[in-house]
Amino acid sequence: MTSDLPKSLTGKGGSRSATTRALALSLALAATALGVTGCDSAAAGTLKGSRLELPVAGGTAVVDTDSLAVSARTGDGRLLLLSEAAAGDGLGRPGPVTRTADGARWSYPAKGLSVTAGTDHGRLRIRLRSDRDGSVNWPVTGTDRTASAVQLPRGEGLDIPVRDAFWNSSKAGLAGSTVDVGADLALPLWGYTMGGAGGSRGGHGVSYLTPTDLGTSLRFSSAGGRLRATAAHAFDAGEGTRDYDVTFALTDGNPVAPAADYRAYLSQRGRLGSLREKIRKNPANAELLGAFHAYVWGDARTAAGIGKLRQLGVDRMWLGYDAGPGPMDATAVRAAKKAGYLVGPYDSFANGQDPKTADSPTSAWPGRVYPDFCVRKADGTPETGFGGRGCYLSSRAFEKAEPGKRYLADRTRTMVANGADSYFLDVDATGELFRDHGAGHEMTKADDRKYRLARMERLSQHLVLGSESAQPWANRVLAFDHGSGTPVADGLWKLERDKQTWGGYYPQNAPRTFFKPVRLPADLATAMYDPKYRAPLYETALHGSLVNAERWELSYEKLPEQKSTRALLAMLYNTPLNYVLDGPTLTKNGPELATLQKYFAPLHRAAGTEPMTSFRRLTDDRTVQRTVFGHGTLTVTANFGSTAHDGLPGGCVEARLRTDSAPRRLCPTAGPDGRLRF
C-alpha cells in the first residue's frame, strides 16, 4: 500500500530509477535533475498577473502574491490546494512584484511584511520578514477537498484520518487546540495525505516544514467533520522572531513523507547527526546498540542487582539513577561496566534553590548561583522552577561564568566520580526555552538554545549523553533521548498530577510515581497508543542519529494494558524499551525483560546506526505494519490485529536481518496479571 523512502532521503544516494517508485519528494537528487535550483529562467518560474509559478520536485507550485494562497499542479496533472489565503484580518494590498534569480519578492506594506518566494532543493520556500511586531495566520492547510490524513509529530508521530470521529471530537483534545511548534512537537513540521492510501502509485501529499519554529504555533480545528491545521507566527523583535520561513514539498502521501523531507532538509544543511560518527569519536556510544534502558532503585543499583541482570542473560543495558541519597557507588558501576552496561546519573542544570532548603542535590549550587542566575521575566521576577520550587537557571549566566568558576564542569566531575560513563541531562534538549531579562545575562530563546547546545557538546566529548525529549536541533550532540518516543496527549499531565491514582514520590527506594501500575483512561490510551494512528515520524527523521525511547515516568511496566502494543512498536521502530527497576521488580520482571532484550539486541546492533528507509501499512485497517532499515539491513513486520496476515498471527512481530535464513518471531501477549506470555 505504501512505498519505500528514496535513497536520496537517507543520505545514501541512489539512481533515478530507484526513486520513480518512491516518494515524490526525492529532493537531494531531483532538485538538480529538474533544474529547480540555480539562476536559469526555469528555476525562476513564471509570473502571470498575481500567479507566481515555480517548478518544484514532482510538479509546479503556484503562489498567489495577492493573498499567499498556494496551490500545486503535480506531474500527473492533479491540482492541489496547499494553503488558503492568509487568515485573520488579511495582508492588505501587495506591493509590486520583483523577479529574482529563483523566484520573486514583494511586500504587504500595511502589515510591514516583505516576502521572498523561490525554490530550495525541490521545495517551494516562502520567507516572510516583518519590520514590526505582529503576527500572521498562515499557511492555512487541510482545506483541499481530497485531504484524507494529517501527519503530526507528537512524540514519535501520528497519522490521523481527517474524518476520524474520535480525533474530531473533544475526547481526543486535538480539535480546538494550539500547539507550540518549537516546544510541543518533536519535529518542526506537519503534513497531509491527499486522496487514498498514502504511498501507493500515483498518491499525493504535502510536507510543511517551519525551520523558524520559535514563535510558530499550529492550531487544529474541525470544520465539517474534517481536521484542518493553521499555522501562526509571532513577529517579535525582542524574541528575535521577525523572520518566518515555510517550505512546501510535494510527496507521494506516505505517512512518514514529511519526516523524510525533514531528514533531507537537515542532511542538505549539515545538521543531521550520525551515531556511527559519535561511536567513532567515543567508542562507549556503541554500547547503546542492543541496550534496553532502565532507571534503577534500591537493590537494583547495587553490584548484586547488576549480577542478577547479567545472570538472566541481559548483555546490554543503559542504567540510570537519580541524584538523591544512595546513588550507584563505584563498586556497582564497575560491575555494570564489566557486564557491558552503560551507567549514568540523572542531572539537571536548569533548577536552582536555596542550598539550605533544596529538595534535591541537583538544585543546590555553590556561591550565589541561586538567586543570581535565575531567569528573570520582564518585570524582574524569577521564572518559577520545577514544581513551583526555586527558579529556572539561565544558560547564558552559566556560560558567562564557566571559564572562571567552572560550576558545570565541577558538577559533572562530582557526578561521575564513581566511574559513570554516561549522563542524562534533564530538560536541556527539550523545547522548554526561556527569554531572560536578567541583568548581565539577557538572552532570547534562540540564545538559550545556543548555550544549551554548547554545554551539551562539551559533555558529549567524554560521556554517552542523553537528554529529555530531544528536539532535532540537538540531534548532533546527543547519543540518546528519553521522551521523544511518547506521543503525549494533554490528559496525561492531569493524570500524573493525581497522586492517588498515579502514585507519589515515596517510598524513597521505589517511588510509586514510577512503579505503581496504572490503567490509562480509554480516550487517553487511544490518543497515545492505538497503533492505527501511529506513524514513525521521529525515527524516519532521526533514526541512525540518536537512540530514542519513551519517557521514564512511563516505564514499560507502568502501563500493563499497553505492554503488548508497546513491545511491538519498539521492535517495529527499532527503539529500546525504558524500565524502572528495584530489587523486587528485578526478581519479578527480570526474566520477561531478558526475553525481550535478547530479541531486540541483535536487531538494534545491526540497524541502530541505519536510517529507517521504509514504513508501510499492509492492510486497509492499518493493523499490519512494516519497516525497513538501511538497504534491507533489517525488515520488521508487526501485526497489531487479532487475525493472522500472511502467516503472521495477530499480536506478533517478525524481524529479518539481511543475513537471516529465516525470520525471527516474537508474540508478547499480556495476561490478566500484566505479565507477558511468549
Side-chain angles (χ1 to χ4, degrees):
M1 293 177 63
T2 61
S3 57
D4 296 347
L5 308 187
K7 295 178 181 179
S8 59
L9 294 183
T10 67
K12 297 291 187 179
S15 66
R16 286 298 299 238
S17 61
T19 61
T20 55
R21 59 183 176 81
L23 296 180
L25 52 84
S26 182
L27 305 176
L29 293 180
T32 302
L34 292 172
V36 296
T37 59
C39 300
D40 59 19
S41 59
T46 60
L47 181 64
K48 302 174 182 177
S50 65
R51 288 171 54 88
L52 174 65
E53 298 185 359
L54 293 167
V56 294
T60 301
V62 182
V63 182
D64 184 345
T65 60
D66 282 348
S67 67
L68 279 184
V70 181
S71 58
R73 183 174 60 253
T74 67
D76 61 0
R78 283 278 302 276
L79 297 178
L80 304 176
L81 179 59
L82 309 188
S83 172
E84 289 191 345
D89 57 0
L91 300 169
R93 184 184 297 274
V97 180
T98 302
R99 300 303 305 278
T100 63
D102 68 345
R105 66 174 182 268
W106 66 98
S107 65
Y108 299 105
K111 294 280 286 187
L113 292 174
S114 59
V115 185
T116 59
T119 56
D120 178 3
H121 294 84
R123 306 176 188 88
L124 169 67
R125 185 202 68 243
I126 298 181
R127 178 170 297 163
L128 280 63
R129 180 160 196 157
S130 180
D131 65 7
R132 66 196 71 166
D133 288 354
S135 64
V136 64
N137 296 303
W138 176 88
V140 181
T141 70
T143 61
D144 188 288
R145 62 181 179 80
T146 67
S148 57
V150 59
Q151 293 85 42
L152 178 67
R154 179 188 279 180
E156 181 60 67
L158 299 171
D159 176 56
I160 303 168
V162 297
R163 291 186 179 276
D164 188 273
F166 171 75
W167 288 99
N168 277 275
S169 73
S170 60
K171 296 178 180 179
L174 183 63
S177 71
T178 300
V179 295
D180 185 323
V181 173
D184 300 329
L185 297 184
L187 305 167
L189 59 87
W190 72 101
Y192 274 90
T193 297
M194 309 294 196
S200 59
R201 290 176 183 267
H204 295 286
V206 58
S207 163
Y208 304 92
L209 308 183
T210 54
T212 47
D213 57 332
L214 297 178
T216 302
S217 60
L218 192 62
R219 179 170 179 79
F220 286 89
S221 62
S222 177
R226 296 167 54 88
L227 286 172
R228 297 181 177 182
T230 300
H233 185 80
F235 301 103
D236 188 318
E239 291 286 3
T241 60
R242 285 280 184 88
D243 292 300
Y244 179 36
D245 287 6
V246 182
T247 72
F248 304 72
L250 299 179
T251 78
D252 72 345
N254 187 295
V256 297
D261 182 24
Y262 186 56
R263 184 183 183 93
Y265 179 93
L266 292 175
S267 180
Q268 290 154 4
R269 287 156 179 76
R271 299 177 190 169
L272 181 63
S274 164
L275 190 53
R276 281 197 185 97
E277 181 63 15
K278 294 167 188 175
I279 290 170
R280 187 189 67 79
K281 292 180 178 179
N282 180 4
N285 283 313
E287 294 175 19
L288 286 170
L289 299 176
F292 278 179
H293 295 222
Y295 282 89
V296 288
W297 304 75
D299 291 342
R301 65 173 60 169
T302 65
I306 304 301
K308 285 184 180 180
L309 267 177
R310 196 65 190 89
Q311 289 166 13
L312 289 168
V314 177
D315 65 347
R316 288 282 175 95
M317 286 292 292
W318 180 91
L319 300 178
Y321 54 92
D322 71 315
M328 286 186 77
D329 60 25
T331 301
V333 170
R334 283 194 299 270
K337 293 168 75 171
K338 184 178 179 180
Y341 303 165
L342 288 166
V343 179
Y346 165 96
D347 196 6
S348 174
F349 298 162
N351 190 244
Q353 300 178 35
D354 185 335
K356 297 177 182 178
T357 57
D359 56 13
S360 169
T362 62
S363 299
W365 296 88
R368 288 190 56 83
V369 168
Y370 179 85
D372 290 358
F373 285 18
C374 289
V375 171
R376 298 283 170 176
K377 301 176 186 177
D379 63 4
T381 59
E383 191 74 51
T384 304
F386 301 160
R389 303 183 300 276
C391 70
Y392 279 98
L393 297 175
S394 169
S395 60
R396 187 182 181 209
F398 273 123
E399 286 300 293
K400 288 184 66 176
E402 196 63 10
K405 297 295 187 179
R406 311 280 296 171
Y407 292 123
L408 301 182
D410 289 348
R411 162 68 75 83
T412 304
R413 189 177 301 110
T414 299
M415 296 289 279
V416 299
N418 59 0
D421 51 4
S422 184
Y423 215 78
F424 183 83
L425 188 60
D426 198 18
V427 178
D428 257 34
T430 70
E432 189 177 33
L433 303 167
F434 293 99
R435 168 97 178 269
D436 188 2
H437 297 267
H441 48 82
E442 298 89 345
M443 66 179 181
T444 64
K445 290 181 179 179
D447 292 331
D448 194 10
R449 188 179 280 183
K450 176 179 67 176
Y451 296 128
R452 293 181 189 214
L453 274 173
R455 65 196 192 191
M456 286 191 286
E457 170 64 27
R458 293 194 297 269
L459 285 172
S460 70
Q461 294 174 14
H462 308 289
L463 296 162
V464 178
L465 182 63
S467 189
E468 178 189 358
S469 301
Q471 294 282 309
W473 49 264
N475 88 90
R476 286 180 294 172
V477 298
L478 295 179
F480 69 96
D481 91 272
H482 294 162
S484 288
T486 305
V488 173
D490 288 344
L492 179 65
W493 308 132
K494 180 180 179 181
L495 182 62
E496 290 190 8
R497 288 193 293 269
D498 178 2
K499 296 306 179 184
Q500 184 174 352
T501 300
W502 191 262
Y505 287 91
Y506 59 87
Q508 182 175 296
N509 285 342
R512 290 176 64 79
T513 189
F514 302 122
F515 286 88
K516 181 185 178 182
V518 168
R519 181 178 185 179
L520 291 180
D523 292 339
L524 189 56
T526 298
M528 293 179 62
Y529 290 111
D530 191 326
K532 68 176 178 284
Y533 299 126
R534 297 287 296 265
L537 300 177
Y538 196 87
E539 298 315 310
T540 298
L542 295 176
H543 197 278
S545 173
L546 52 78
V547 175
N548 179 33
E550 287 213 57
R551 298 180 62 85
W552 75 311
E553 83 272 21
L554 287 174
S555 65
Y556 183 59
E557 298 288 346
K558 183 74 177 177
L559 308 174
E561 293 185 0
Q562 280 71 46
K563 285 179 65 174
S564 297
T565 294
R566 293 172 85 189
L568 265 59
L569 286 169
M571 305 310 163
L572 183 68
Y573 296 168
N574 200 230
T575 55
L577 294 171
N578 203 354
Y579 286 78
V580 292
L581 296 171
D582 66 347
T585 58
L586 178 56
T587 299
K588 177 183 176 183
N589 302 322
E592 180 183 291
L593 181 158
T595 298
L596 292 169
Q597 192 270 337
K598 287 175 186 176
Y599 183 86
F600 174 78
L603 310 181
H604 197 238
R605 286 183 178 181
T609 58
E610 298 281 352
M612 179 184 282
T613 49
S614 175
F615 172 68
R616 305 174 61 193
R617 295 193 180 108
L618 306 184
T619 57
D620 289 338
D621 66 2
R622 297 180 160 208
T623 60
V624 184
Q625 302 174 17
R626 176 172 292 164
T627 54
V628 179
F629 298 85
H631 297 295
T633 300
L634 171 65
T635 301
V636 186
T637 306
N639 186 345
F640 297 98
S642 56
T643 59
H645 174 80
D646 199 20
L648 180 63
C652 295
V653 62
E654 206 164 68
R656 189 163 194 159
L657 295 171
R658 183 191 290 117
T659 54
D660 285 344
S661 58
R664 308 159 186 244
R665 181 174 292 181
L666 179 74
C667 298
T669 303
D673 58 357
R675 296 192 182 188
L676 295 181
R677 311 289 189 268
F678 299 99

